[in-house]
Amino acid sequence: MIFTLEALEAKHGDALLLHFGTIKKPSLIVIDGGPEGVYRATLKPRLEQLRTSRAGTGALQIRMVMISHIDDDHINGVLQMITELDELRADRKSQPYDVLTLWHNSFDDILGNEGEVLTSNLKGAASAASTGGSMPPGLPIHRDAALVVASVSQGRELRNHAKALSLDINEGFTDLIGVPERQKSRSLSLGGGLSLTVIGPRKQNVDDLRRRWDKDIKKLGVAQQASFVDDSVFNLSSLIVLAKSGKQTMLLTGDARGDEILTGLQEANLLKKGRCHVDLLKAPHHGSDRNVSTEFFRQVTADHYVISGNGRFGNPEIAMLKMLSSAREDDRFTIHLTNPEARLTTFFAKEKAAGRKYKVVFRQPKALSVSVELGDSLEG
């Protein structure tokens, strides 16, 4: 069986391809699409390669497109792809990709049309974050949260194009993608030997946030709304999904916080004596040190760590790599990164000189991605 994760070169964002099934009948999930420019430069060329090898001149079937959360560095490339497909539909032209379902929690799903309140009141912060400018003084909001606010309209636009294409939205769920109330997790079999188990966000948490917004925050003004977003954005947005094929597992974390990941694993009975081991962990938030801790890496271990990022906003953070190194001590594992940087190679050289046993794999300069193959090779 095939069970491969490709991390495409996606600048400072995420654009992942999950391959599963058999050599004769491979299947594909697209997880996020990176920021502006990634679809044309990386995602579309890779999809075209797969279409040529799997479908010839026909349409490449994409079993699912999954948006981990709305943020330009995750949603932009997918929005471009779905928009392009919708335009071809409108012109009655053949479409290169046949998308069967879209997993996507928009802010409108969570807060109704109140997402417009956020984008209006926090427009200055969102604009500054998007352009790399200084954040407005006096607002208790982090750049990461402001970037998500800036993407609210993108999520709405994506949902509209998906509906025009008659895509099956949030297959397996009646509302949001998440863990329903009084359930420990929610699993969906996609065929081809693959199951996806959603462990976050949890419905109770989302409902609490909705009530907090409705009763308190919306009425209190811009500063309180900014604080609400900064405290809650990762709970509101990021999917946490365990993908399983046979006995092998991948933990896909989006930009979720480490404490939310651990809570989801605990509630789903996936922590044994406080620990969980997976074959592959997609490091949260491009290797930001704001999302994890040394203890997180002690509790959730992996044979392979995948980190997307090119140094913008400091990601991957050296501090995060130090946490991972400290947590794993003398263990053998492999870190896969989408972009080499001098500061990273210097750090890893020092680690090797200190006797650390883990391996580091960077995407090759001319390659579109770095891949981790846990099963049969994609090339057969």
Side-chain angles (χ1 to χ4, degrees):
M1 300 292 287
I2 298 169
F3 197 37
T4 295
L5 188 72
E6 276 192 80
L8 300 176
E9 198 295 296
K11 299 181 180 179
H12 56 284
D14 273 346
L16 309 171
L17 300 180
L18 175 56
H19 302 267
F20 63 101
T22 65
I23 296 296
K24 291 185 178 180
K25 194 175 181 180
S27 295
L28 175 67
I29 296 176
V30 175
I31 305 168
D32 296 333
E36 175 65 36
V38 169
Y39 177 61
R40 299 294 177 192
T42 310
L43 178 55
K44 184 174 183 178
R46 181 58 181 137
L47 292 177
E48 286 300 307
Q49 289 178 352
L50 294 170
R51 183 163 80 105
T52 298
S53 63
R54 297 181 184 182
T57 58
L60 171 69
Q61 186 179 94
I62 300 176
R63 178 62 181 86
M64 175 184 288
V65 172
M66 182 193 305
I67 306 296
S68 63
H69 74 299
I70 59 164
D71 189 343
D72 183 75
D73 61 2
H74 294 256
I75 197 174
N76 191 301
V78 171
L79 175 58
Q80 288 190 45
M81 180 179 73
I82 298 299
T83 300
E84 186 175 274
L85 294 178
D86 192 18
E87 291 172 348
L88 290 171
R89 175 203 58 81
D91 292 338
R92 299 188 178 184
K93 295 180 180 179
S94 60
Q95 300 176 21
Y97 319 124
D98 179 19
V99 179
L100 299 190
T101 189
L102 171 69
W103 270 14
H104 167 47
N105 289 344
S106 73
F107 259 73
D108 289 346
D109 293 330
I110 298 168
L111 297 178
N113 290 326
E114 299 299 347
E116 296 178 4
V117 176
L118 286 177
T119 53
S120 175
N121 289 348
L122 301 179
K123 184 176 181 179
S127 176
S130 299
T131 59
S134 300
M135 298 296 289
L139 287 182
I141 189 170
H142 192 273
R143 183 180 300 275
D144 301 327
L147 285 168
V148 174
V149 173
S151 300
V152 169
S153 61
Q154 289 177 309
R156 188 176 302 123
E157 185 180 356
L158 174 62
R159 177 59 63 89
N160 291 338
H161 284 298
K163 288 181 178 178
L165 288 165
S166 299
L167 299 188
D168 184 354
I169 299 176
N170 291 355
E171 176 187 352
F173 295 82
T174 57
D175 186 9
L176 293 172
I177 303 295
V179 182
E181 195 170 4
R182 294 188 295 275
Q183 292 189 25
K184 296 181 179 298
S185 61
R186 183 66 177 270
S187 296
L188 180 71
S189 175
L190 297 187
L194 181 76
S195 67
L196 300 179
T197 298
V198 177
I199 63 172
R202 308 192 66 78
K203 185 178 186 299
Q204 181 178 346
N205 291 346
V206 174
D207 287 346
D208 288 345
L209 291 164
R210 280 173 171 162
R211 285 191 290 270
R212 182 183 168 199
W213 172 259
D214 288 337
K215 292 183 178 180
D216 302 320
I217 305 301
K218 185 170 59 173
K219 302 174 183 178
L220 293 177
V222 177
Q224 288 78 11
Q225 290 170 20
S227 178
F228 167 82
V229 172
D230 209 31
D231 290 343
S232 310
V233 67
F234 302 114
N235 294 346
L236 283 166
S237 304
S238 283
L239 300 184
I240 309 169
V241 178
L242 184 73
K244 186 175 182 180
S245 178
K247 295 182 178 180
Q248 295 179 310
T249 53
M250 299 180 184
L251 185 57
L252 309 171
T253 61
D255 280 4
R257 289 199 320 244
D259 60 333
E260 291 296 325
I261 297 168
L262 289 169
T263 296
L265 292 169
Q266 177 69 43
E267 291 292 326
N269 295 324
L270 293 171
L271 287 180
K272 307 300 181 184
K273 296 183 179 180
R275 297 179 182 273
C276 174
H277 184 81
V278 293
D279 293 282
L280 183 152
L281 171 64
K282 204 291 291 185
H285 202 180
H286 323 294
S288 171
D289 61 352
R290 294 183 69 233
N291 291 61
V292 293
S293 64
T294 302
E295 185 58 29
F296 171 81
F297 286 122
R298 289 195 182 106
Q299 291 186 258
V300 183
T301 57
D303 297 325
H304 299 273
Y305 298 86
V306 174
I307 308 175
S308 299
N310 65 352
R312 190 180 184 189
F313 308 131
N315 297 329
E317 294 275 8
I318 296 297
M320 184 281 297
L321 294 170
K322 288 181 178 179
M323 292 175 190
L324 174 57
S325 176
S326 176
R328 297 301 304 272
E329 297 180 344
D330 294 327
D331 294 348
R332 298 181 186 272
F333 54 89
T334 304
I335 301 175
H336 307 259
L337 301 107
T338 55
N339 287 283
E341 296 178 62
R343 66 189 180 96
L344 298 180
T345 54
T346 298
F347 171 77
F348 290 128
K350 291 180 180 179
E351 288 279 279
K352 185 176 182 179
R356 307 316 300 265
K357 298 177 181 178
Y358 64 83
K359 296 180 181 179
V360 178
V361 176
F362 287 104
R363 176 185 57 84
Q364 293 299 304
K366 294 184 179 181
L368 295 176
S369 64
V370 59
S371 295
V372 182
E373 294 185 328
L374 300 180
D376 294 334
S377 172
L378 285 176
E379 305 302 323

